[in-house]
Structures are given as C-alpha cells and as structure tokens.
C-alpha cells in the first residue's frame, strides 16, 4: 500500500435474499436487461439458504436485506489480508453509541515478499444502517443549489473513513496477533519466510488516531522489529498471546513444534529451547486458557486437539489428547472466556464444542454440520457465553448460540436451530473477530476485503 493510495470504505452487499427478475420464460435477453434494475415486489422475494435452496435461475440475483443489520460497512486494502486482529483502544468498554470508531492491525499477502505490509487501520464514523440512509439524503425537500451543496458537504463529513498507517514488512503474513504490553501496543507476525517477529505499533496507532479528512494511508518507516525469532526456518500459523501472563507468547509451525516465549526486560523474549512436541502434522492454531495460567490448547492437521500445561517440563506437558477430534485437519480453535468450553473447526466443515469436564473422553458436547467447506476461523463472543462466530471456505460467516433449543414451529429443515445468522457476499473468508469493546460488532477478512457489521439478533 503506497502513501499516495487512498483506501476506500464503501457499502458492499452481503447476500441474503433471492430476487426473481424474470417475468416470463419467453422474455428476450434485451428485455431482461432493461428490467433487471426494477425493484422486486416483496411477495416475490425468497430467503436463500446456501446448500438447501434451489440453484439460481437465469435473471435471478442475490441481494441482502438491510433490515437484518444494525451496522454494515466494507473496506479494502491493496493486497488481501489473510489475518488481522482487533486492537484494544482507550476509548472505553461496552460502547453502544454510534457512529463508532475502532482499530485493527492486519498483514498482507502480496505477490512479491518486498511488497507486504503491516497495516494499522483506524475505522471511523461507523454509523448505523438507519443513519446511512439519512446521510444519503432521502429527504429531498430542498431544491436550491446552495443548500444541496451544503447537504452534500455535510454528508461527506459523516461518511465512514479509514485512516491507515502501513509498515513495510518483508514476506507475506500468515497470522498476526496484537497485545498490550504496559503502555505499548505490539503485534506478533508469523511470516511465510519462516520467522516470527514482534513489532511495536504504538506510534502507528497514535498517528492513525490523530488523522482526519478523507480516507488515506500513510507509510511509516520502522527501522526494525522489537524481536525476531527465526526458529526452525519453517513457516507456521499457530500464534497466541496469553491473556493472563503479560508477554507470554506461543507459536506453532508446520513441522509439528510449539515454542513458548517469555518476555524479558528491554523488549526482548526468551524462546524455549525445547519445544512442545507430540502432533504428527502441522500445528494449525493455538489458544490459551483465559482462566488458568499456563494452560494451552492446540490443534493440528493430524486431526487432533491437545491440552498442555506449559508450567511442566516440555516432555511431560501434554495433559490431554483427543486423537480424532475431526475426521481430518483441525484448522482452528477458540477458548471461551467465561466457561471451560473450546470450539474447534475442521476441514470436514464441522464445528465442535468441547467441555474440559469431558474432553478427555473424546466426546464433544455439541456438533454442528452446516458449512459446505473447511472451517477457516472460529471465535467465542467476548461477552455472550454461549455465542460464537465461524467462517468457512464456502464463503459464509455464521453466528451460533449453543443455548438455543429446537422449536418445531420456527425451525427450517436442514438448518441447525442454533444457527443465528448467515453473512455472505465475500469470497474466501479467512478470519473473523468480535470487537471486545463494542458489543456485537463483528469484523472479518476475505480475499476481496473486510466487512464490519452488527446484526439485529446478536
């Protein structure tokens, strides 16, 4: 991303409804083209359920129902971002007022290693769907040119903005995670060049916060990262900061090893010489317990989930193994902040919930089969104990409430009653996160950009 390039925030439509724009089978193509922009009557619209609804006919298209969202915005970067993280800010917790402001950090996957970046993004003026409608000037009572110019100028001021700071980074970023260390904010990056680096992004955040005007990106030159570990020289994806012990970091690579980091004085880390071993294939994801210091979970392409007591000697650290947690690769894992529950997602498209009370028996407490492709990301809601979000290679982002029970009057055949919401309209969704300070605000990244949204039922 260059200093001259603006990053545009715009409204992008997630898929929700099917619009039937055919008036008859005998219609000519030219007539269909002329009519395709006409508004479809409400009684001709149908809910579209991926995998269950019939294929689209000629002239039909998918559109979304704005009334299903309280907030929806989308934005893009020059290169797709495989991973991002929400940065906790100083604007307060439990923020429910809009327009909202939030900050994320992401890592790019550019065509050439030298073109990659760490991007610190300030997303500002995130208004509600109702406010967006008002800002578009649906009330057109004024006809005078001067008043129209003033309205347009005021409307532009209220538009969502992205003020970004990019830090050049050599190599594509497989995974990025942010953490607060004292007065500084840092991010750890797993590079496809086979190294893990820790970067101080405090100045970039402060600069982004102070930016104003139109959406734009500015380049910040950072001499070097705080810390670099080349490890085995092989790349990886497992990356997690401990929420209980400041500066503790775990990394997992494609050659089956998990390394534990401990922060020392002077912005340095000591990386354990003896890794945690036991997985038979690549370590895909890591998640620390939010309630018990030193307890770490891992999942692997070997189909297993393991729990580790990192306070023990590495050779004795594994305290539990679920050998066939999924039919094939276990891609992602997330630990519930309030209950001893773990959710996992695999190449089999299944989502499984595990309780620490019974995980040693290899039996999940819940299994959800809805996605039609491998699961790419999962995360528990930071406040709602029974709610989590997931994404899959079927281009869907889903929201679930495991406490919901079947109701014969409202359930849809083939759809689990615990499925609360399906968000579509993106290709190859890679990662999802809840905002920890803005209840219900969800963010995801895909090959074609980021979506920021809040639904009416979460």
């Amino acid at each position: 991303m260059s200093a001259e390039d603006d990053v545009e925030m715009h409204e992008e439509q997630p898929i929700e409804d099917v619009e039937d724009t055919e008036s008859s089978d005998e219609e000519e193509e030219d007539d269909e083209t002329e009519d395709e922009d006409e508004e479809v009557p409400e009684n001709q619209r149908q809910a579209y359920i991926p995998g269950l609804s019939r294929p689209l006919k000629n002239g039909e298209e998918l559109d979304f129902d704005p009334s299903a969202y309280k907030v929806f915005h989308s934005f893009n970067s020059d290169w797709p971002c495989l991973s991002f993280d929400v940065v906790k800010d100083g604007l307060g917790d439990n923020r429910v007022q809009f327009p909202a402001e939030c900050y994320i950090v992401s890592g790019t996957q550019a065509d050439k290693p030298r073109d990659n970046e760490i991007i610190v993004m300030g997303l500002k003026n995130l208004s509600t769907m109702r406010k967006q409608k008002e800002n578009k000037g649906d009330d057109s009572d004024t006809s005078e040119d001067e008043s129209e110019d003033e309205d347009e100028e005021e409307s532009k001021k209220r538009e969502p903005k992205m003020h970004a700071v990019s830090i050049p980074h050599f190599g594509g970023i497989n995974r990025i995670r942010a953490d607060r260390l004292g007065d500084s904010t840092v991010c750890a990056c797993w590079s496809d060049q086979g190294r893990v680096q820790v970067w101080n992004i405090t100045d970039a955040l402060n600069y982004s916060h102070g930016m104003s005007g139109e959406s734009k990106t500015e380049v910040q030159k950072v001499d070097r990262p705080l810390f670099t570990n080349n490890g085995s020289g092989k790349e990886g994806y497992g990356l997690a900061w401990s929420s209980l012990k400041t500066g503790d970091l775990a990394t997992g690579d494609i050659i089956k090893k998990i390394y534990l980091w401990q922060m020392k004085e002077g912005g340095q880390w000591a990386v354990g010489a003896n890794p945690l071993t036991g997985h038979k294939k690549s370590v895909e994801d890591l998640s620390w317990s939010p309630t018990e210091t030193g307890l770490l979970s891992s999942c692997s392409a070997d189909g297993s989930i393991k729990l580790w007591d990192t306070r023990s000697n590495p050779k004795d650290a594994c305290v539990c193994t679920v050998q066939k947690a999924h039919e094939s690769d276990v891609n992602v894992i997330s630990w519930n902040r309030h209950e001893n529950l773990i959710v996992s997602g695999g190449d089999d498209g299944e989502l499984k919930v595990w309780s620490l009370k019974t995980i040693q028996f290899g039996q999940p407490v819940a299994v959800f089969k809805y996605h039609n492709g491998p699961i790419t990301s999962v995360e528990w809601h930071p406040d709602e104990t029974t709610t989590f979000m997931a994404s899959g290679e079927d281009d869907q982002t889903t929201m679930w409430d495991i406490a919901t029970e079947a109701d014969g009057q409202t359930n849809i055949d083939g759809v689990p009653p615990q499925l609360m919401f399906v968000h579509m309209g993106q290709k190859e969704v890679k990662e999802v996160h809840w905002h920890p300070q803005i209840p219900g605000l969800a963010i995801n990244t895909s090959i074609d950009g980021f979506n920021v949204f809040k639904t009416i039922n979460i």
Side-chain angles (χ1 to χ4, degrees):
M1 186 175 299
S2 62
E4 294 82 9
D5 291 332
D6 287 351
V7 178
E8 181 182 1
M9 291 191 68
H10 59 279
E11 292 179 28
E12 179 178 278
Q13 294 190 337
I15 300 169
E16 184 83 358
D17 295 332
V18 178
E19 294 189 356
D20 188 353
T21 58
E22 290 185 312
S23 58
S24 71
D25 292 335
E26 292 79 17
E27 248 182 351
E28 297 293 333
E29 277 191 23
D30 289 344
D31 293 334
E32 289 178 357
T33 303
E34 290 175 4
D35 295 340
E36 66 183 2
D37 291 333
E38 294 181 4
E39 186 173 351
V40 178
E42 190 70 30
N43 61 3
Q44 293 184 26
R45 298 188 178 190
Q46 302 173 13
Y48 180 81
I49 304 172
L52 298 177
S53 297
R54 59 167 175 75
L56 297 180
K57 296 179 180 178
N58 182 32
E60 288 183 328
E61 62 183 21
L62 294 171
D63 198 3
F64 88 124
D65 180 4
S67 66
Y69 293 84
K70 290 183 179 178
V71 176
F72 179 81
H73 298 282
S74 66
F75 59 98
N76 301 309
S77 54
D78 288 346
W79 297 103
C81 297
L82 188 71
S83 181
F84 76 100
D85 203 6
V86 178
V87 178
K88 193 165 184 179
D89 55 50
L91 301 178
D93 296 331
N94 197 32
R95 307 200 298 264
V96 296
Q97 298 298 319
F98 289 88
E101 178 177 340
C102 66
Y103 294 83
I104 67 173
V105 59
S106 65
T108 63
Q109 289 279 325
D111 288 342
K112 298 177 181 178
R114 67 172 180 270
D115 292 335
N116 283 288
E117 307 162 308
I118 298 168
I119 311 175
V120 177
M121 307 177 185
L123 311 178
K124 305 172 184 179
N125 284 354
L126 301 179
S127 56
T128 61
M129 296 295 288
R130 179 192 298 179
K131 201 65 179 177
Q132 290 176 57
K133 187 176 181 180
E134 293 175 1
N135 291 345
K136 286 179 180 177
D138 286 354
D139 298 329
S140 52
D141 299 334
T142 305
S143 58
E144 296 181 8
D145 291 342
E146 290 184 6
S147 297
E148 289 178 357
D149 290 341
E150 290 176 4
D151 289 344
E152 184 176 349
E153 185 176 338
E154 285 301 313
S155 180
K156 287 194 70 174
K157 289 180 181 179
R158 294 191 294 266
E159 288 177 355
K161 302 291 190 299
M162 186 179 97
H163 295 142
V165 177
S166 71
I167 301 171
H169 181 279
F170 189 83
I173 297 174
N174 294 342
R175 193 151 292 171
I176 188 168
R177 292 291 179 263
D179 197 18
R180 186 80 176 172
L181 304 180
D183 294 330
S184 299
T185 300
V186 302
C187 67
C189 302
W190 239 131
S191 167
D192 62 9
Q193 302 297 303
R195 58 175 173 262
V196 179
Q197 294 179 320
V198 179
W199 296 77
N200 189 336
I201 58 171
T202 308
D203 289 344
L205 280 168
N206 291 338
Y207 192 85
S208 173
H209 181 67
M211 292 168 69
S212 60
E214 295 302 309
S215 294
K216 55 191 171 186
T217 299
E218 299 193 12
V219 178
Q220 181 185 67
K221 295 293 184 181
V222 178
D223 291 337
R224 58 182 181 274
L226 286 174
F227 188 81
T228 298
N229 179 43
N230 293 308
S232 63
K234 300 294 184 180
E235 64 180 318
Y237 295 89
L239 188 64
W241 292 102
S242 169
S243 62
L244 299 180
K245 193 172 180 184
T246 301
D248 273 17
L249 179 70
T251 64
D253 59 32
I254 63 172
I255 58 172
K256 307 171 285 189
K257 297 178 180 179
I258 300 170
Y259 286 91
L260 303 175
W261 299 37
Q262 289 187 323
M263 188 174 66
K264 303 298 180 182
E265 294 182 2
Q268 297 296 300
W269 277 262
V271 182
N274 299 314
L276 304 177
T277 58
H279 282 299
K280 297 176 182 178
K281 292 184 179 180
S282 169
V283 177
E284 297 294 290
D285 200 9
L286 299 167
S287 183
W288 290 94
S289 167
T291 57
E292 187 171 342
T293 302
L295 188 58
L296 177 71
S297 61
S298 63
C299 63
S300 168
D302 64 12
S304 72
I305 293 174
K306 289 181 179 289
L307 301 182
W308 311 83
D309 183 351
T310 62
R311 297 164 295 187
S312 302
N313 187 295
K315 66 177 183 175
D316 302 318
C318 185
V319 295
C320 179
T321 299
V322 182
Q323 290 290 2
K324 292 186 178 180
H326 287 256
E327 290 300 318
S328 55
D329 300 23
V330 189
N331 299 326
V332 285
I333 197 167
S334 175
W335 209 306
N336 194 299
R337 296 189 187 185
H338 306 283
E339 300 287 344
N340 285 322
L341 298 173
I342 292 171
V343 61
S344 63
D347 268 0
D348 54 11
E350 292 187 342
L351 295 160
K352 296 187 178 184
V353 179
W354 309 84
S355 169
L356 257 61
K357 297 177 182 179
T358 57
I359 192 172
Q360 67 270 26
F361 305 117
Q363 295 296 321
V365 295
V367 179
F368 304 113
K369 178 60 177 174
Y370 169 79
H371 283 273
N372 297 314
I375 304 300
T376 58
S377 185
V378 291
E379 185 169 278
W380 286 102
H381 193 290
D383 303 308
E384 300 293 335
T385 304
T386 59
T387 302
F388 69 86
M389 179 165 48
S391 61
E393 288 187 9
D394 56 358
D395 302 335
Q396 299 184 66
T397 298
T398 55
M399 296 180 177
W400 302 77
D401 184 350
I402 63 174
T404 302
E405 297 181 358
D407 180 353
Q409 295 180 343
T410 59
N411 292 153
I412 302 173
D413 289 341
V415 177
Q418 294 81 12
L419 180 58
M420 295 288 101
F421 199 91
V422 177
H423 175 79
M424 297 182 67
Q426 297 167 280
K427 294 182 179 179
E428 298 184 42
V429 183
K430 298 297 184 181
E431 201 166 275
V432 298
H433 293 295
W434 300 99
H435 197 291
Q437 298 168 283
I438 305 177
L441 189 70
I443 309 173
N444 68 10
T445 183
S446 67
I447 289 297
D448 49 7
F450 293 82
N451 279 183
V452 182
F453 58 98
K454 179 177 170 62
T455 69
I456 59 172
N457 62 339
I458 301 293

